[in-house]
Structures are given as C-alpha cells and as structure tokens.
C-alpha cells in the first residue's frame, strides 16, 4: 500500500476521474474525503470504499463557494487529520461555438474549473504549510495546452489551471508543498459519454488518438497515485499528459 495512513481530499469525487482516484487511493491505504455537489452520489462513493475495507467521508461542496471550501477542509481535518494530498478534479465542460458562448457559460467554466481549483488549493495549502508537507494535484486537460473548437471557455479555464500549477509550485516549494497537474486526453466518463455514445462522431475521433482508444478513469488515477506518492518527491510544477498520444499527433 503506497498511501498507508495518509489523508487525501478529492473534489469532484462523486463520479468519473475523481471517483476513480478516490477508489484507488483508498485501496492504497489512504483515508479519503470525497467532495462534490450531489449528496446521493457522494454517499454511494463512500459506501463503496467502506464496503471494500477503506475509510471515507463525504462533504457536500460547491467549489465555487469559499464558505463551502472552508467547511470542506474543516470537516476533512476533523474526521481524518491533516491532509497529505489534495486532488482538484471538480470540473464541467459544456461545448458551444465561440460566437454563441453566453457570459453565464463563460462564468460557469471559469468559476468551477479555475476559481474552484484556486479556492480549494489555497485553503488546503494554508493547512499543509503548517506541517511543511503536502502534494496538490490539479486535474487539468490537454485542452489547456492546445485549442479544441467549441470549447473556448473550457480551454481557457484549463490553460489557467496549468499556469496555476507552475505559479503555485514556485511559491509553495519552500513550504514543502509540491504542486503538479495531470492533463488527461479523452477519458471515458459522464463528461464524454455523449460523444462516445455517438458512433458517427466517435469513430473519426478515435483516429486522432495514436493508441486508438478512449482512456479509462483508472489510468488517470494511476498517474495521480504517482504524483501523490514518494515516487515523485522531486517533481513540482509539472503538468503530466496522459492521453494515448493524442497531443503529439500533427494530423
Ligand atoms: P464527471 O464524471 O462529470 O465528473 C465531474 C465531477 O465534478 C463530478 O463529481 C461533479 O460533481 C463535480 N463538480 C462539478 N461541478 C462542481 C461544483 N460546482 N462543485 C463541486 N463539484 C463539482 O467528469 P470527469 O470526466 O470525471 O471530469 C473530472 C475532471 O477531469 C474535470 O476537471 C474535467 O475537466 C477533467 N478532464 C476530463 C476529461 C475527460 O475526457 N473525461 C479530459 C480531460 C480533463 P457532481 O456530479 O456532484 O456535480
């Protein structure tokens, strides 16, 4: 077990990548605080972990709210003690052509994806700095490294996260806190289900991925485990691409 007796806080843990990370970290011995919007889905995630012999609690949290974030961190620490790893996986993506993006759509993406990541990271880093150790992992996207049509607001929010990763790493390294990101490619979750379920859309899309398949949330969880573990103690400020080779392909 690579995270025995550690405490991991995972936002966006009620489904998809965040949930896979919560499950993997629990199997590696971590006590896990799972945070997200939907109480029922969070409770199911916690129950699955407990049934498998792990320890977890759920905290309903809207990552856009500083008050919610402060409550989330306080409840997590009250339950399981100091936080060793924070995973920021909460995020949304609602594609729309640039000329049709409403101000509210822009705000939704920037508020949840970027501001939510900032608020969670700042609140947890304040706690980690008291102990002089910790690892913070942002779930970004290859869309933060290059542009995809109809996702201007999403792309911008993820590019912001990649910048946040470097900037935070710079300031937090002297405090003993490492900050890294993961840039997933196309991963099989609720977010990508509409495209995956459409054979006419998914078949040409798969041709853009050298490995020729969609990634699994568990494959992102494996990268997160590496960044949380003692196998990455000299890494900070890095955004790790996990995408089946999609990003390196010119055409
Ligand atoms: P998902 O299954 O839809 O999960 C998104 C999670 O974010 C859910 O747990 C959701 O919780 C939570 N969330 C949304 N708004 C929130 C808010 N205001 N406050 C708290 N939690 C909130 O999608 P996913 O694919 O796992 O996405 C997870 C992360 O991976 C996102 O940041 C996404 O951008 C990133 N990503 C995904 C892919 C991909 O191909 N799937 C690729 C690159 C990056 P509720 O359901 O409770 O609202």
């Amino acid at each position: 077990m690579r995270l025995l007796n550690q405490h991991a806080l995972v936002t966006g843990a009620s489904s998809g990548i965040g949930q896979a990370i919560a499950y993997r970290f629990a199997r590696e011995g971590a006590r896990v605080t799972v945070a997200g919007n939907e109480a029922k889905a969070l409770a199911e995630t916690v129950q699955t972990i407990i049934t498998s012999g792990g320890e977890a609690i759920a905290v309903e949290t809207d990552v856009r709210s500083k008050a919610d974030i402060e409550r989330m961190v306080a409840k997590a620490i009250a339950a399981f003690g100091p936080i060793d790893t924070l995973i920021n996986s909460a995020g949304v993506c609602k594609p729309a052509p640039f000329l049709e993006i409403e101000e509210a759509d822009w705000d939704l993406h920037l508020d949840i994806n970027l501001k939510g990541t900032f608020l969670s990271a700042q609140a947890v880093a304040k706690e980690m700095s008291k102990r002089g150790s910790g690892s913070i992992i942002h779930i970004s996207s290859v869309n933060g490294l290059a542009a995809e049509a109809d996702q201007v607001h999403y792309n911008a929010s993820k590019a912001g996260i990649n910048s946040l990763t470097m900037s935070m790493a710079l300031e937090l390294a002297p405090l003993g806190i490492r900050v890294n990101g993961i840039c997933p490619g196309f991963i099989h979750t609720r977010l990508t289900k509409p495209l995956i379920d459409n054979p006419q859309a998914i078949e040409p899309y798969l041709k853009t991925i050298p490995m020729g398949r969609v990634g699994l949330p568990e494959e992102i969880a494996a990268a997160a485990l590496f960044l949380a573990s003692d196998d990455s103690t000299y890494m900070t400020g890095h955004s790790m691409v996990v995408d089946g080779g999609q990003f390196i392909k010119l055409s």
Side-chain angles (χ1 to χ4, degrees):
M1 287 192 178
R2 291 162 72 186
L3 302 177
L4 196 59
N5 296 326
Q6 293 200 19
H7 177 191
L9 167 55
V10 188
T11 74
S14 55
S15 72
I17 290 170
Q19 188 180 59
I21 292 171
Y23 290 159
R24 180 69 197 267
F25 278 34
R27 284 206 307 278
E28 296 291 341
R31 297 179 296 263
V32 187
T33 300
V34 300
N37 270 321
E38 290 171 26
K40 188 165 174 283
L42 284 176
E44 285 167 8
T45 306
V46 165
Q47 196 50 51
T48 302
I49 291 173
I50 291 172
T51 305
S52 311
E55 285 183 78
I57 59 154
V59 187
E60 262 182 85
T61 309
D62 184 337
V63 297
R64 291 171 289 187
S65 156
K66 191 172 179 189
D68 270 24
I69 298 283
E70 284 170 355
R71 198 172 46 87
M72 169 184 83
V73 173
K75 282 196 167 184
I77 292 172
F80 292 141
I83 297 162
D84 298 287
T85 303
L86 166 68
I87 314 281
N88 280 311
S89 191
V92 289
C93 178
K94 299 184 188 301
F98 174 63
L99 295 179
E100 294 171 22
I101 292 173
E102 304 282 349
E103 186 180 352
D105 298 327
W106 175 267
D107 287 347
L108 183 81
H109 285 75
L110 273 290
D111 284 355
I112 295 176
N113 298 359
L114 184 55
K115 183 179 155 190
T117 298
F118 159 70
L119 288 174
S120 304
Q122 190 191 49
V124 172
K126 280 180 184 170
E127 294 298 327
M128 288 175 167
S129 68
K130 294 175 189 167
R131 286 204 306 159
S133 68
S135 172
I136 296 176
I137 302 165
H138 301 144
I139 305 302
S140 180
S141 171
V142 287
N143 289 48
L145 301 169
E148 184 171 5
D150 296 340
Q151 303 199 19
V152 166
H153 41 8
Y154 182 74
N155 299 342
S157 72
K158 294 298 184 176
I161 290 177
N162 293 344
S163 175
L164 189 63
T165 298
M166 290 186 285
S167 305
M168 284 179 56
L170 197 62
E171 289 195 42
L172 297 179
L175 305 179
I177 303 166
R178 298 187 298 113
V179 186
N180 292 289
I182 299 174
C183 293
F186 195 71
I187 309 300
H188 199 316
T189 68
R190 182 179 66 177
L191 205 75
T192 50
K193 197 172 181 313
L195 181 54
I196 290 168
D197 288 348
N198 178 349
Q200 281 168 338
I202 189 65
E203 278 166 29
Y205 192 88
L206 287 179
K207 292 194 170 58
T208 69
I209 305 172
M211 289 179 74
R213 67 171 177 86
V214 175
L216 299 173
E218 292 75 16
E219 292 175 309
I220 305 304
L225 176 60
F226 169 70
L227 291 174
S229 77
D230 284 346
D231 288 336
S232 60
T233 44
Y234 200 47
M235 280 181 71
T236 197
H238 180 69
S239 291
M240 184 193 284
V241 174
V242 184
D243 70 341
Q246 189 177 27
F247 185 65
I248 53 161
K249 195 160 179 277
L250 275 177
S251 62

